[in-house]
Structure formats: structure tokens, C-alpha cells
Amino acid sequence: MRKALRGVGDQIKRVDVVIELRDARLPITSQNPDLQNLLINKPSLILFNKSGLADLNQIKKWESKLKNESTKPFLFVDVKRRKGLSQIIPSSRKLMQSRWENLRQRGIRPPVLRLMVIGIPNVGKSSLINALARRGATQTGPKPGVTRHQEWIVLGQNAELLDTPGILWPKIQNTIDGLNLTLVGGIRDEIVGVESLANYLIQLGKKRFPQRLLERYTIEGCKLQSSQEILHQIAIKRGFFRTGGNVDIQRVSEMLLHDFREGLFGPINLDLL
Ligand SMILES: Nc1nc2c(ncn2[C@@H]2O[C@H](COP(=O)(O)OP(=O)(O)O)[C@@H](O)[C@H]2O)c(=O)[nH]1
Ligand SMILES: [Mg+2]
């Protein structure tokens, strides 16, 4: 962990502004708290991505809470739906305004704004880099003084982006955080196991979106059944059987996780306010 963070620390030194990507459904849990130590005195912008999968009421609550508490700028975005992308470079540049003010006063043109993206796995780092690259006149190429493996993507608007994101490991403070992080793909499914994760998802669904579960899989009386029984029922409805005739719990579990990740149960926040 410490080694990984050190690598990220070297990347951070090469940019003006760090774009910290988190999952809008897990505004707190999808960060790595150790990152903040590396960001002391470093301008950074938090992007809460996949906001299309998050609950709008929750987003509003988080927005007002963060506005009250935080000195850090943030945006809720959705890279897939291309929401909020146009604000990223102007918001980042604003963070350099005071630092570059004396250059401007001396009549010196501000330098190229250098950015990087950082975050836990699956939060949308590569998607964001691709989306930003597509917006500007994309040119990539090694520059003098830059390691051959790392390149700057020219974004237009006098800004450049490091093409390699910084990868952070999620910090698991308790079981629920671990399960939620796995649901959003920040931790590999194999660690919890697909079946256990699907059971957790159903327990969550019974509390948070019972009607959607009932309707999507045309099951009955979801409240009265255990999550295991519900998995069985869905497998039977879908005709998921193994050779020999037993229900295929692995397959039904994978389907449920896929459906959740595609947002088919509606917008659902996991860190709740
Ligand atoms: N719904 C939704 N999915 C997204 C969004 N951004 C990325 N994804 C998906 O999340 C998954 C992980 O994205 P990726 O860019 O590979 O994440 P990385 O591991 O941080 O580089 C992919 O399936 C993306 O299509 C978004 O804003 N909304
Ligand atoms: Mg990636």
C-alpha cells in the first residue's frame, strides 16, 4: 500500500491539479483517506462520477453537506452520459488562479495546465481520460524530460492530461464498506464471493427497493423470504439450472450483480445521508 502510494506521489509532483475521482453512490467510502496526505498544498478537484446511478435526493444532500464542510471544490459528473465534463478544465484552472496571478501581473503567459486523474479501481478513470481526450484536439506523444511510458494528452484550452491514471486502493473500514465497495466494483468480486455478494444485494433490496425486485423478477412476497430463498426463486423463474437439475446460484448471482451495476434497480446510493 505504502509503495503504491509512493508511486502515485511521484505522479502527483508532475501535475498542477489532481482530479480525484470517486463514486457518487459512495462519496466517502470510495476515497482513499491516505491520499489527502499527498494532497497537502496540492490543488485538487473531486469528481463524483456515475452520478446517473446515484439517487438525486442523496446527491443534493451530499452537495449541501460538502459545500458547508469542505474547502475543496467538487463536481458531480457522469462520464458515460458526458455530464459535467465541460466544467472540469475551467474548475481546475480556477484552482491555479492565485498561484499564477503574479505571473500574469508580470505579463507572463500562464503555463500549460497539467492534470492527472486518480482514484480507486472501476471508478471511471480510463473512461474519463478517454472522454477528455476526445473533447480536445487529441495529440499524444512523449515530450523531452518525460519518461517514455508516460505521455501527456493535449486537451486544448492550454491544458494537458497525464495519460496514466493514479490507482489507489480502497480503504475498507468495516464489512458494510467492503460489501458496498465490491458492489460498485472497487474490489474484485472473488474476495467476497459472487453468491455472498448477491445475498447482500438482496438484503439491501428488501429494505431499499423491494418493489423493483418484485417487478423485475416477478417474484412474490419478497419481504417474507430469506435472501437465499429469493435467489432460488429467481433462478427457477429464469430457468437457471445446472446439469443434474439443481438451480444455478452462481449464474443467478451474477445476473443480479450485473443488473445492479447497470442501474436496473433504479438510482441507489450506498453511503447514505
Ligand atoms: N453508469 C456509468 N458507468 C460508468 C461511468 N464512467 C465509467 N463507467 C463504467 O465503469 C466501468 C469502469 O470504468 P473504467 O473507466 O474502466 O474505470 P477505471 O478502473 O477507474 O479506469 C466501465 O464499465 C465504464 O463503462 C459513468 O459515469 N456512469
Ligand atoms: Mg482503468
Side-chain angles (χ1 to χ4, degrees):
M1 162 48 111
R2 210 176 276 159
K3 203 171 157 204
L5 266 183
R6 212 181 296 143
V8 163
D10 292 339
Q11 281 176 303
I12 288 176
K13 285 190 197 126
R14 303 176 59 205
V15 299
D16 300 306
V17 176
V18 173
I19 296 172
E20 184 195 349
L21 213 51
R22 298 191 200 170
D23 192 302
R25 294 165 294 177
L26 280 175
I28 298 298
T29 309
S30 63
Q31 70 169 327
N32 177 320
D34 298 334
L35 173 66
Q36 304 316 321
N37 296 329
L38 297 179
L39 294 183
I40 293 167
N41 295 326
K42 190 78 181 183
S44 64
L45 173 69
I46 303 173
L47 298 186
F48 296 103
N49 189 32
K50 309 196 185 186
S51 58
L53 296 175
D55 182 335
L56 205 55
N57 282 326
Q58 281 288 318
I59 291 179
K60 282 186 188 142
K61 284 187 184 172
W62 279 104
E63 274 178 335
S64 60
K65 179 181 165 68
L66 293 165
K67 260 181 208 143
N68 287 336
E69 292 179 350
S70 166
T71 49
K72 273 204 180 178
F74 65 88
L75 297 168
F76 278 82
V77 301
D78 194 286
V79 172
K80 212 168 191 175
R81 298 182 190 189
R82 309 189 69 77
K83 282 208 176 120
L85 297 185
S86 64
Q87 293 180 65
I88 296 173
I89 297 175
S91 299
S92 302
R93 190 179 304 284
K94 224 168 127 191
L95 293 171
M96 296 308 291
Q97 218 163 28
S98 61
R99 289 172 193 239
W100 286 347
E101 188 53 37
N102 62 0
L103 292 180
R104 205 170 287 123
Q105 279 172 3
R106 286 187 283 150
I108 301 168
R109 195 166 172 264
V112 172
L113 178 70
R114 288 195 153 173
L115 307 170
M116 73 171 292
V117 175
I118 198 166
I120 66 169
N122 206 49
V123 80
K125 298 179 295 298
S126 303
S127 308
L128 175 64
I129 292 171
N130 289 336
L132 288 174
R134 257 184 283 132
R135 287 182 68 86
T138 314
Q139 294 166 31
T140 57
K143 295 204 163 180
V146 172
T147 17
R148 209 182 300 156
H149 307 292
Q150 278 178 348
E151 295 172 339
W152 296 97
I153 300 169
V154 179
L155 300 178
Q157 300 178 55
N158 205 27
E160 293 182 359
L161 177 66
L162 207 54
D163 73 352
T164 316
I167 299 170
L168 301 169
W169 301 114
K171 195 147 187 165
I172 305 157
Q173 316 266 22
N174 56 52
T175 311
I176 297 296
D177 283 359
L179 290 166
N180 287 338
L181 280 164
T182 312
L183 274 185
V184 305
I187 299 172
R188 283 183 298 118
D189 289 350
E190 296 81 71
I191 295 173
V192 176
V194 171
E195 286 187 36
S196 306
L197 196 59
N199 272 292
Y200 171 67
L201 179 58
I202 291 185
Q203 280 164 24
L204 196 76
K206 282 167 74 174
K207 266 188 271 163
R208 304 269 307 279
F209 45 92
Q211 205 52 38
R212 301 236 187 199
L213 270 183
L214 292 179
E215 284 166 9
R216 174 144 195 90
Y217 306 116
T218 54
I219 48 175
E220 289 131 30
C222 121
K223 279 241 159 69
L224 301 172
Q225 299 180 68
S226 71
S227 53
Q228 201 63 40
E229 286 165 340
I230 293 173
L231 271 182
H232 265 82
Q233 220 194 105
I234 299 172
I236 291 165
K237 286 262 171 182
R238 290 290 162 115
F240 291 172
F241 295 102
R242 290 185 182 280
T243 42
N246 286 334
V247 290
D248 193 341
I249 293 297
Q250 172 82 15
R251 186 165 169 210
V252 76
S253 299
E254 281 167 2
M255 179 190 71
L256 271 150
L257 294 173
H258 170 269
D259 288 357
F260 172 80
R261 288 166 178 162
E262 289 296 311
L264 299 180
F265 299 122
I268 293 147
N269 262 57
L270 298 167
D271 275 345
L272 285 182
L273 268 187

